[in-house]
């Protein structure tokens, strides 16, 4: 069974840093793009960052650009999110997700599957 | 624009049909995915590429799109369909992802 397990969450003061990890298993990790998605308490899903299978390129949402960095280590089947200059509004459950690709009738579609259960990041003084 | 807009709350009587709408400029160009999230659980995809159901998703779930709008329809809603539903697509650049604000579906 494909599995994703996040770790590294916790309580951090505003302006502080935290590094999240996502360990993947039971699939060919390096062939998949991976993403981080967050969900603030009682709120909706917010895409944070994505990284290509090789790690050559990545994209970030405007809300975290310049503060968060996504990276991966394919030898360790892991993707990371380095979070700097944290703000109260970054408080959320952070989940990693695999970008599945399915091709139908010559057209390929990407979607997030599966998702990990997430790790809670709380930014508070 | 990089926004996707959904109605926050929708209700449906048990066994009836309900449609959940997602609007956004990027939907004119890119397909929509839909996720179901129940309390305390990770989201699962119920539709991808606007109209395609992954294996294991009941055929009462269907999708469509027109212009800047994508729709998820549940035909014959069941009690277990009560959940939050999120649309998901690319932003206008095509490089980044965006989620709709989510729709809480109540099955009465």
């Amino acid at each position: 069974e494909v599995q994703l397990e996040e770790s590294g969450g916790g309580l951090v003061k505003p302006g502080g840093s935290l590094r999240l990890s996502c360990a993947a298993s039971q699939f060919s990790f390096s062939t998949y793009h991976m993403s981080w998605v967050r969900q603030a308490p009682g709120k909706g899903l917010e895409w944070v960052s994505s990284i290509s299978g090789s790690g050559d390129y990545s994209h970030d949402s405007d809300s975290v650009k310049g503060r968060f960095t996504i990276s991966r280590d394919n030898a360790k089947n892991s993707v990371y999110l380095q979070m700097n200059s944290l703000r109260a509004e970054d408080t959320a459950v952070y989940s990693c997700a695999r970008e599945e690709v399915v091709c139908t009738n010559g057209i390929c579609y990407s979607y997030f599957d599966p998702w990990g259960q997430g790790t809670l990041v709380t930014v508070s003084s | 624009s990089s926004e996707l807009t959904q109605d926050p709350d929708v209700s449906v009587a048990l066994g009836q049909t309900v449609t959940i709408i997602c609007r956004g400029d990027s939907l004119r160009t890119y397909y929509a995915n839909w996720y179901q999230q129940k309390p305390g659980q990770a989201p699962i995809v119920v539709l991808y590429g606007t109209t395609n159901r992954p294996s294991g998703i009941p055929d009462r779930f269907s999708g469509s799109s027109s212009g800047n709008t994508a729709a998820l329809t549940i035909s014959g809603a069941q009690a277990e369909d009560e959940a939050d539903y999120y649309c998901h697509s690319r932003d206008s650049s095509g490089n980044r992802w965006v989620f709709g604000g989510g729709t809480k579906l109540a099955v009465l």
Side-chain angles (χ1 to χ4, degrees):
Chain A
E1 180 190 357
V2 173
Q3 287 195 330
L4 299 171
E5 185 171 358
E6 302 90 343
S7 60
L11 175 64
V12 61
K13 290 181 168 53
S17 298
L18 212 53
R19 187 193 195 213
L20 306 182
S21 300
C22 169
S25 59
Q26 301 301 317
F27 67 97
S28 183
F29 182 70
S30 64
T31 64
Y32 288 89
H33 292 203
M34 297 293 294
S35 282
W36 286 96
V37 179
R38 68 184 180 183
Q39 188 167 31
K43 302 297 185 183
L45 302 173
E46 180 187 7
W47 171 77
V48 175
S49 297
S50 290
I51 188 167
S52 64
S54 62
D56 286 350
Y57 58 92
S58 63
H59 298 285
D60 307 306
S61 67
D62 286 342
S63 59
V64 306
K65 204 170 189 62
R67 300 188 299 124
F68 291 10
T69 302
I70 188 172
S71 63
R72 65 191 296 158
D73 184 338
N74 287 341
K76 295 183 178 180
N77 287 349
S78 293
V79 60
Y80 307 101
L81 188 67
Q82 177 66 45
M83 305 186 295
N84 299 329
S85 303
L86 282 160
R87 307 165 179 166
E89 55 264 35
D90 296 319
T91 294
V93 172
Y94 286 73
S95 300
C96 61
R98 184 181 72 172
E99 293 191 23
E100 178 67 274
V101 178
V102 174
C103 299
T104 304
N105 297 327
I107 302 174
C108 296
Y109 304 104
S110 296
Y111 57 91
F112 292 178
D113 179 68
W115 300 55
Q117 285 299 319
T119 185
L120 176 62
V121 172
T122 303
V123 184
S124 174
S125 54
Chain B
S1 169
S2 60
E3 292 185 352
L4 298 178
T5 302
Q6 298 180 240
D7 292 331
D9 297 281
V10 171
S11 62
V12 61
L14 185 67
Q16 296 303 300
T17 296
V18 63
T19 296
I20 298 172
I21 297 293
C22 176
R23 293 185 176 86
D25 288 344
S26 65
L27 295 177
R28 296 183 184 278
T29 306
Y30 300 106
Y31 56 85
N33 303 318
W34 290 91
Y35 300 88
Q36 176 193 73
Q37 186 181 34
K38 297 181 179 179
Q41 297 183 18
I44 63 167
V45 60
V46 293
L47 291 175
Y48 67 90
T50 303
T51 61
N52 301 284
R53 272 180 294 106
S55 60
I57 300 301
D59 61 6
R60 63 178 179 271
F61 289 87
S62 63
S64 63
S65 70
S66 178
N68 72 335
T69 300
L72 164 67
T73 297
I74 307 174
S75 303
Q78 302 300 302
E80 61 263 32
D81 299 334
E82 188 162 283
D84 294 329
Y85 291 85
Y86 295 91
C87 60
H88 173 232
S89 186
R90 295 287 188 179
D91 77 346
S92 305
S93 75
N95 291 322
R96 301 189 292 184
W97 293 102
V98 62
F99 286 94
T103 296
K104 181 177 291 292
L105 176 66
V107 179
L108 308 177

